[in-house]
Amino acid sequence: MVFVNALHVLISNYSNFILYVSSTTKIVKCLMCKALVVKIVFFLALFFMSSCAKQNRDIQILKIDPEKASAHELNEVLCITGITVLECNDSAFIGEVSDYLKYKNRSYVLDKKRKSVHIFDDMGRYVSRIYCYGDGPNEYHQLSCFYIDPFQNRLVLIDNSKKMRYLYSLTGEFLNTEKEHFAVKNVSFLSDGTKIVVRDIVDSGVKNGNVINVFKGECNVSSFLPFAYKSGTLVFEKSHPLVTVGNVFYYNSLMSDTIYGYNGDILFPKYIMDFSGKGVSNYIKDVSIDTFGESFYALLQNHPKDLAYWPQILGEYKGKFFLGYVYGNDMCFCVYDLINGTVNQFLGPYIGTISLTQISSGIFSSSNELFFILDNYKISLMDKSSMDEIKHSYPSLYESIKNISLDDNPVILSAKFKNYEKE
């Protein structure tokens, strides 16, 4: 369409040019010729850029065979960047790690169970606790989600029941409240200040739907309603569906094989995870929206060991995507090199015979860094031989968890993917 419009403009300009040439001097003729050449170059460039933009938005198939994933030692896959033992005292006892953020050498833990946000320094020492539950003007009924605004250096708490934002300093001092217009699920920022908001859909006639709003300043520049399947079933998302990389973000769909990308104020299906016939989408892509959730969990119960699901982008670095998914009862990680098409998959990763995911209660990602929330209860059940394996392979990790009890706060293990190259 762009090319047709460009051609029409060129023809129109050429007709005007012929009429004009017949009544002007040679100098003017020459100038008009140059002007026409400039226009031709401009429209060809416009057409080329439009073609490139369309090409960049073509869906790419990421072909992954879960059966080829193999067990690897932790140090073969990840570089441990930190082991943080969170201080536990009467003011900072975490009931549940509902969400975890790390920013400017501080750790922020959303604890929905205790309706609190706990703040620790980079050594795990207690800084402060936010607890303002109540009916007062500056108090919340629930903590729906929280996020860091890096451009205002603010910690923002959201209460969807009251449709309010609660603004705090990065050390936990209350600042003020603002009205929130949406039921917010997740908020993230691009490096240019663009704000991305995932929210519940307002239309009550649509079930389990989410809308993505993109803000530049206070202006909502675009809104998107991502879909997952041909049936029109809406995307279900994980607690952190957004992954930002520079000025691009990706939206992870929890129960489908589609990963959405954002570029040039457009959200579009960017990557499809092809699990070689093992993906959930091969079975329920035509299921209606009304029965999708039930069908999904029924499928997992009937195929407990041979389905790949919950694909997500965990980060990106120089043309390499770091992906995660579940296959059977195992967490799998994948380094997908978009440049040369190589795929390297890892089960675990393992510490001897112990999968890291077997001793963690959750994994959160931020950019290209992973945060494993080590589970006190699971660790307390480990036998001596298992602890000896950890002691032998990772003495620093062993020292951090050897005396951990159920009355302690969890240990946070942070790690990054190695720049893995297939040999």
Side-chain angles (χ1 to χ4, degrees):
M1 187 67 183
V2 174
F3 179 74
V4 173
N5 290 337
L7 191 60
H8 175 74
V9 172
L10 286 175
I11 293 172
S12 176
N13 277 282
Y14 182 73
S15 299
N16 293 333
F17 167 73
I18 294 298
L19 292 173
Y20 194 72
V21 164
S22 64
S23 60
T24 55
T25 64
K26 291 182 179 181
I27 296 176
V28 175
K29 290 180 185 179
C30 184
L31 291 174
M32 287 297 293
C33 286
K34 291 181 179 179
L36 182 59
V37 169
V38 170
K39 288 184 179 181
I40 292 173
V41 172
F42 171 76
F43 285 111
L44 288 176
L46 182 65
F47 174 70
F48 176 76
M49 288 187 294
S50 175
S51 300
C52 289
K54 182 179 183 301
Q55 183 178 6
N56 290 338
R57 290 177 186 145
D58 287 342
I59 294 176
Q60 288 185 257
I61 307 297
L62 305 184
K63 294 184 178 181
I64 298 171
D65 187 350
E67 293 185 347
K68 292 184 179 179
S70 57
H72 280 68
E73 278 287 325
L74 175 61
N75 59 7
E76 294 177 339
V77 184
L78 302 174
C79 296
I80 295 179
T81 56
I83 299 171
T84 307
V85 181
L86 300 180
E87 179 185 350
C88 186
N89 55 43
D90 292 339
S91 299
F93 178 70
I94 300 172
E96 173 188 88
V97 182
S98 308
D99 201 350
Y100 178 83
L101 294 174
K102 192 170 184 179
Y103 182 71
K104 287 191 174 180
N105 298 322
R106 288 194 179 93
S107 294
Y108 299 85
V109 178
L110 175 63
D111 184 352
K112 290 186 177 181
K113 187 174 182 179
R114 295 184 178 273
K115 299 180 176 62
S116 303
V117 173
H118 306 275
I119 304 175
F120 304 89
D121 67 12
D122 57 350
M123 301 298 293
R125 292 174 298 217
Y126 167 75
V127 174
S128 63
R129 175 195 179 207
I130 299 173
Y131 177 79
C132 290
Y133 175 75
D135 296 318
N138 297 326
E139 297 176 332
Y140 48 76
H141 283 161
Q142 62 172 305
L143 284 178
S144 305
C145 66
F146 79 150
Y147 63 91
I148 300 289
D149 182 343
F151 298 94
Q152 298 293 325
N153 280 324
R154 298 287 185 261
L155 172 64
V156 184
L157 281 57
I158 301 290
D159 182 346
N160 286 335
S161 67
K162 297 179 71 172
K163 291 189 176 180
M164 294 293 294
R165 299 182 202 137
Y166 300 82
L167 308 184
Y168 289 82
S169 71
L170 295 180
T171 52
E173 292 87 10
F174 176 75
L175 300 174
N176 63 289
T177 60
E178 294 178 349
K179 189 67 178 176
E180 177 57 68
H181 302 289
F182 304 127
V184 177
K185 290 286 193 71
N186 189 207
V187 176
S188 188
F189 291 84
L190 303 184
S191 60
D192 64 357
T194 300
K195 181 181 179 181
I196 316 298
V197 179
V198 178
R199 63 180 179 88
D200 279 337
I201 197 167
V202 178
D203 183 5
S204 59
V206 180
K207 300 179 181 178
N208 298 314
N210 295 131
V211 173
I212 300 176
N213 291 95
V214 180
F215 293 87
K216 292 188 176 179
E218 295 298 320
C219 181
N220 182 11
V221 296
S222 47
S223 301
F224 310 105
L225 181 66
F227 287 84
Y229 295 108
K230 294 178 182 178
S231 62
T233 301
L234 295 172
V235 167
F236 290 70
E237 90 293 337
K238 60 194 287 289
S239 59
H240 258 295
L242 298 176
V243 175
T244 58
V245 182
N247 280 330
V248 178
F249 78 81
Y250 299 98
Y251 179 90
N252 290 319
S253 166
L254 182 61
M255 297 183 186
S256 84
D257 54 2
T258 304
I259 296 172
Y260 290 78
Y262 172 85
N263 200 355
D265 291 341
I266 298 295
L267 183 77
F268 50 94
K270 182 63 175 174
Y271 301 101
I272 291 182
M273 304 272 273
D274 182 354
F275 286 116
S276 303
K278 300 291 185 178
V280 171
S281 63
N282 296 88
Y283 295 87
I284 57 176
K285 60 185 176 183
D286 295 321
V287 173
S288 72
I289 186 172
D290 294 322
T291 59
F292 183 76
E294 296 175 3
S295 300
F296 177 81
Y297 288 110
L299 185 64
L300 295 186
Q301 290 178 347
N302 294 331
H303 300 268
K305 296 182 179 180
D306 58 356
L307 279 181
Y309 56 98
W310 289 0
Q312 54 190 287
I313 287 181
L314 299 172
E316 180 187 4
Y317 180 74
K318 292 184 178 180
K320 292 182 174 64
F321 271 130
F322 306 121
L323 309 169
Y325 64 93
V326 177
Y327 180 54
N329 295 321
D330 289 311
M331 182 70 187
C332 298
F333 296 102
C334 174
V335 179
Y336 202 108
D337 192 324
L338 293 175
I339 298 175
N340 57 34
T342 58
V343 183
N344 299 287
Q345 300 179 80
F346 314 99
L347 291 177
Y350 279 81
I351 302 172
T353 60
I354 306 158
S355 170
L356 184 57
T357 56
Q358 290 176 322
I359 60 173
S360 61
S361 58
I363 304 172
F364 298 93
S365 63
S366 175
S367 184
N368 63 342
E369 192 165 16
L370 301 177
F371 301 98
F372 293 83
I373 313 300
L374 302 188
D375 191 304
N376 300 24
Y377 178 70
K378 293 178 180 178
I379 293 172
S380 67
L381 296 178
M382 293 175 63
D383 55 29
K384 185 179 182 302
S385 62
S386 297
M387 290 297 288
D388 286 343
E389 285 188 82
I390 296 177
K391 182 179 180 180
H392 174 73
S393 301
Y394 295 94
S396 58
L397 177 59
Y398 171 78
E399 290 297 322
S400 301
I401 66 174
K402 66 178 181 180
N403 296 319
I404 199 168
S405 73
L406 298 180
D407 295 326
D408 294 325
N409 280 334
V411 174
I412 311 296
L413 187 147
S414 54
K416 291 185 177 182
F417 280 97
K418 285 191 171 182
N419 190 18
Y420 188 88
E421 300 288 348
K422 189 173 183 180
E423 296 181 357

